[in-house]
Amino acid sequence: MNAARRSQLFIPTLKEAPADAQVASHRLLVRAGFVRQLGAGIYDYLPLAKRTLAKVEQIIREEMDAIGAQEFYLPALHPAEIWKESGRWEVMGDNMFRLKDRKGGDYCLGMTHEEIFTAIARDELRSYRQLPQVWYQIQTKFRDEPRPKSGLLRVRQFTMKDAYSFDVDAAGLDKSYEDQRVAYEKVFTRCGLRFVGVQAHSGAMGGSASQEFMVRTDAGEDDVAACPACSYAANTETARSKGPLAPVRSGERLDAPRRFPTPGVRTIDALAQPPHGRPGAMQLKSLIYVADEKPVVAVVRGDDDLNEAKLQTACGATMLRPAHPEEIRPLLGADAGSLGAVGFTGAPVFVDESLRGAAGMVTGANQDDFHLEGVDVDRDLLRHGKLADLRSVRAGEGCPRCGAALDLFKALEVGHIFKLGTKYSVSMKASVLKADGAETPIVMGSYGIGVERIMAAAIELHHDQDGIVWPLSIAPFQATVLTLGAEPALAQAAEQVVKELSAAGVEVLYDDRDERAGVKFKDADLLGIPIRIAVGKRGLAEGKAEWKLRRGKEVELVPLGAVAQKARALVDAETRRS
RNA sequence: CGGGGAGUGGCUCAGCCUGGUAGAGCACUUGGUUCGGGACCAAGGGGUCGCAGGUUCAAAUCCUGUCUCCCCGACCA
């Protein structure tokens, strides 16, 4: 039966949103009775949410199956040993939920499943003839996020579709990756999301190439640089730009850096003010980080921002954090605000590539209250330091491909695909024999989609003052029928319409409650069911019902007997597979 | 981990400064009047004031500790 009675369903709607809901999707999911919060970053999914999530999962399943991926279901509870094999028992740090069993053995809750799938591949795959394999599951992941926030957008327990490809060589991986990329585009499109695929930073996953699928919304936590003129789009963790980056020159070229007193000056800004008057573009900003427990120095222009992800890429570290003040002084002899990398060889030095050739620069002297002027980057820094892309791009800078002004915006990551290569197959010894009898590590890819994030992103994209406006493909119900009034004739007519809709395969929510019309309208708008059929006295006198789409304004009178077919046609048109 | 803010009935909040034994709106129950965009009247039910100590004749209120939740920052020297 495709019909449900509103009076029986558990849909606890709220007039007022909880005070702690900040973003639209959070507020509306709670108000419309889809979710409740159990703890920080932990949510109950109530029947309406379950229906929508099931639809998202089904769309994912269909697109995965269409490219030959095979569905698994693996444990969420993992013995520590398997994570120690890949080395990620340590790498994942505090982000991993860990627990012990009664014998004191170490376990964790899965954050992702590269290790588990790779173990199966290692144990079971022997020959190149068995490849390629593409495996996936839709499973719960646990991540002890430092700061859960924004409702369902950053949580500690969530559902992920994670897929893994196993190929004999790089060419095979290229194809598997491309299959996934195309499947992802279909999934997000079918879910009603406008998205952009962007070049991404691989982070703790490792591997060569990766692409993120981003939904543009201010509720997102990532920053994307995209070119309005060409197809270039990248997470700012990897985005580049060209010009206008020529460093300002001081005009005074010195044979060697010269120390000068700057009492009390601790910031770029202070040094830019009188009496010093050295604009940020003339300064070098030196930042101290700890990469895998070892200090590194990053140097960017005074008016630029260091991008931590880029620094992480540059030094190849798996963990990166800013150094504590008490780590800085013993290393450089001064506190933050007076630091510089001129002649400093106590730790690796990375210099932003935009600084190549810059001269007449000012930087800290590694002595409190003193700076150096006349610094020549090539001469004074690059003999011991390495050039790297470290700075964050800014809006308006030139697209690295075509030069047009880059657009910068907030975005929410709903999917991420990686070319892992052999990182896991080597560490976990997953290999097959090739045709020539040689053993070769399996070449892997890994592909994730956040199921709840799709639901939340759809709401961020599709809502108005009154509530959610679901895309038909993932709405918990496709149509809702309202009776306006208590007359038995209305209920009779409504039930007939419900029956016909149901018979036509349309999922319908029948609001049979003894409520005033206003309450039903408000509730229907809040829930966001795409098709609203209202049966009231006025229309019924002519044998008609009112047809209105949640996304539109027009109300149309439709003969009772024609409602089901009209709905069927719309559902067919909007949920068809691409 | 640092900095803010908040925990009072299911929800939104007041009361706290200036201690005297808990309130409003919404929601819920019953009756009545209403009935096309979150009705009205009347009568009800429901709260160890996050938790634990302490001060006091007396603590939601003052003090200490602790837990939880939300926001900002995780750097820009």
Side-chain angles (χ1 to χ4, degrees):
Chain A
M1 184 64 171
N2 285 321
R5 285 177 181 269
R6 181 72 168 84
S7 61
Q8 305 297 118
L9 264 197
F10 182 61
I11 308 177
T13 57
L14 259 29
K15 276 192 189 175
E16 287 175 289
D20 53 14
Q22 308 285 321
V23 299
S25 58
H26 187 197
R27 217 178 323 117
L28 292 173
L29 283 166
V30 172
R31 276 197 62 207
F34 282 68
V35 306
R36 287 294 184 264
Q37 181 171 9
L38 182 61
I42 311 174
Y43 284 85
D44 302 321
Y45 298 102
L46 310 185
L48 284 184
K50 183 56 193 164
R51 290 184 69 100
T52 287
L53 292 172
K55 290 195 171 189
V56 172
E57 289 175 11
Q58 188 51 31
I59 288 171
I60 293 171
R61 209 167 259 128
E62 288 171 10
E63 297 301 338
M64 285 296 111
D65 292 348
I67 58 171
Q70 306 164 69
E71 186 166 6
F72 283 53
Y73 186 67
L74 304 187
L77 180 64
H78 305 167
E81 282 64 35
I82 194 147
W83 285 84
K84 287 177 178 165
E85 273 188 58
S86 70
R88 292 207 294 181
W89 179 256
E90 285 78 28
V91 171
M92 290 309 193
D94 289 339
N95 275 351
M96 184 180 257
F97 278 106
R98 297 158 200 267
L99 58 159
K100 287 187 187 294
D101 70 3
R102 60 172 70 205
K103 295 181 204 159
D106 286 320
Y107 288 79
C108 66
L109 299 178
M111 310 175 63
T112 172
H113 283 72
E114 276 79 10
E115 280 79 358
I116 319 302
F117 271 105
T118 304
I120 296 172
R122 179 233 350 246
D123 293 343
E124 311 296 338
L125 298 176
R126 292 283 168 265
S127 160
Y128 74 98
R129 293 171 188 271
Q130 293 170 291
L131 303 182
Q133 290 287 322
V134 182
W135 298 345
Y136 78 100
Q137 64 172 343
I138 296 175
Q139 231 274 21
T140 305
K141 307 293 190 225
F142 298 89
R143 297 184 183 176
D144 194 359
E145 294 287 343
R147 186 147 98 84
K149 59 187 274 199
S150 305
L152 298 191
L153 298 184
R154 180 163 294 278
V155 292
R156 298 196 292 174
Q157 173 180 339
F158 61 99
T159 311
M160 179 188 265
K161 182 290 299 181
D162 49 322
Y164 306 86
S165 63
F166 302 89
D167 283 279
V168 71
D169 55 22
L173 171 59
D174 289 346
K175 177 176 187 307
S176 297
Y177 183 86
E178 178 63 10
D179 285 349
Q180 289 283 339
R181 195 186 63 73
V182 171
Y184 273 41
E185 291 186 348
K186 289 181 178 172
V187 167
F188 300 130
T189 300
R190 287 181 62 188
C191 289
L193 302 183
R194 293 187 302 272
F195 63 95
V196 53
V198 310
Q199 195 185 91
H201 173 73
S202 303
M205 209 62 84
S208 53
S210 85
Q211 189 176 352
E212 286 168 332
F213 292 83
M214 297 289 207
V215 170
R216 180 173 185 164
T217 161
D218 284 338
E221 297 182 296
D222 284 288
D223 294 298
V224 167
C227 177
C230 71
S231 63
Y232 181 78
N235 192 307
T236 53
E237 293 179 342
T238 64
R240 288 166 175 267
S241 62
K242 57 181 176 193
L245 302 176
V248 172
R249 290 163 189 270
S250 71
E252 188 187 7
R253 307 201 66 134
L254 302 175
D255 291 337
R258 182 167 65 205
R259 204 170 61 152
F260 67 106
T262 51
V265 170
R266 289 290 180 276
T267 62
I268 297 289
D269 216 31
L271 198 54
Q273 300 300 318
H276 309 294
R278 314 298 178 109
M282 262 179 61
Q283 301 184 39
L284 297 178
K285 181 153 61 181
S286 309
L287 303 120
I288 318 304
Y289 277 77
V290 176
D292 293 339
E293 302 307 310
K294 289 190 286 274
V296 297
V297 180
V299 180
V300 296
R301 219 170 73 177
D303 56 345
D304 273 337
D305 290 329
L306 170 73
N307 188 293
E308 286 188 3
K310 288 185 173 183
L311 176 59
Q312 188 180 356
T313 303
C315 56
T318 49
M319 296 225 290
L320 186 75
R321 64 165 173 85
H324 303 306
E326 58 274 19
E327 292 170 318
I328 293 176
R329 180 161 268 281
L331 188 68
L332 289 143
D335 291 327
S338 306
L339 304 179
V342 172
F344 177 74
T345 53
V349 173
F350 296 92
V351 179
D352 186 65
E353 57 193 16
S354 69
L355 290 168
R356 186 205 305 264
M361 305 296 282
V362 175
T363 189
N366 287 337
Q367 183 181 357
D368 288 344
D369 300 323
F370 287 93
H371 279 75
L372 299 176
E373 58 187 344
V375 174
D376 180 318
V377 169
D378 291 12
R379 179 192 67 199
D380 301 323
L381 288 175
L382 291 182
R383 289 199 194 144
H384 56 289
K386 271 188 269 190
L387 281 175
D389 175 32
L390 297 178
R391 68 184 293 275
S392 289
V393 302
R394 290 182 209 279
E397 291 178 354
C399 167
R401 282 197 201 140
C402 73
L406 285 174
D407 204 8
L408 233 70
F409 54 82
K410 289 263 174 223
L412 173 68
E413 180 187 357
V414 290
H416 200 159
I417 58 179
F418 298 86
K419 286 186 183 177
L420 295 175
T422 57
K423 174 178 162 131
Y424 296 91
S425 51
V426 167
S427 64
M428 298 183 65
K429 302 184 177 62
S431 57
V432 292
L433 294 186
K434 291 189 290 187
D436 62 8
E439 186 169 324
T440 187
I442 298 175
V443 182
M444 294 175 54
S446 147
Y447 318 92
I449 291 179
V451 177
E452 292 89 346
R453 272 197 185 175
I454 288 184
M455 175 168 77
I459 297 173
E460 292 296 336
L461 251 26
H462 308 291
H463 71 271
D464 60 22
Q465 279 200 320
D466 297 315
I468 304 170
V469 185
W470 286 113
L472 243 171
S473 57
I474 61 171
F477 289 92
Q478 294 159 336
T480 182
V481 174
L482 278 45
T483 51
L484 306 180
E487 291 81 352
L490 292 176
Q492 252 174 38
E495 289 196 28
Q496 182 61 27
V497 171
V498 168
K499 214 154 113 189
E500 288 172 14
L501 280 166
S502 180
V506 176
E507 300 162 357
V508 51
L509 176 64
Y510 173 32
D511 194 343
D512 59 333
R513 294 174 303 170
D514 179 20
E515 288 285 0
R516 301 161 63 85
V519 172
K520 294 190 180 185
F521 284 137
K522 287 289 186 190
D523 234 27
D525 287 346
L526 181 59
L527 299 197
I529 311 296
I531 303 170
R532 188 187 81 188
I533 311 295
V535 180
K537 276 188 298 242
R538 297 178 200 160
L540 194 60
E542 315 170 36
K544 291 178 174 173
E546 292 167 31
W547 165 284
K548 179 183 174 299
L549 298 184
R550 177 63 180 86
R551 64 177 178 238
K553 285 199 178 70
E554 307 77 39
V555 177
E556 190 183 339
L557 280 175
V558 175
L560 289 168
V563 167
Q565 279 323 302
K566 190 174 167 69
R568 179 72 252 168
L570 184 72
V571 170
D572 282 344
E574 301 203 4
T575 60
R576 190 181 304 128
R577 292 181 56 175
S578 46

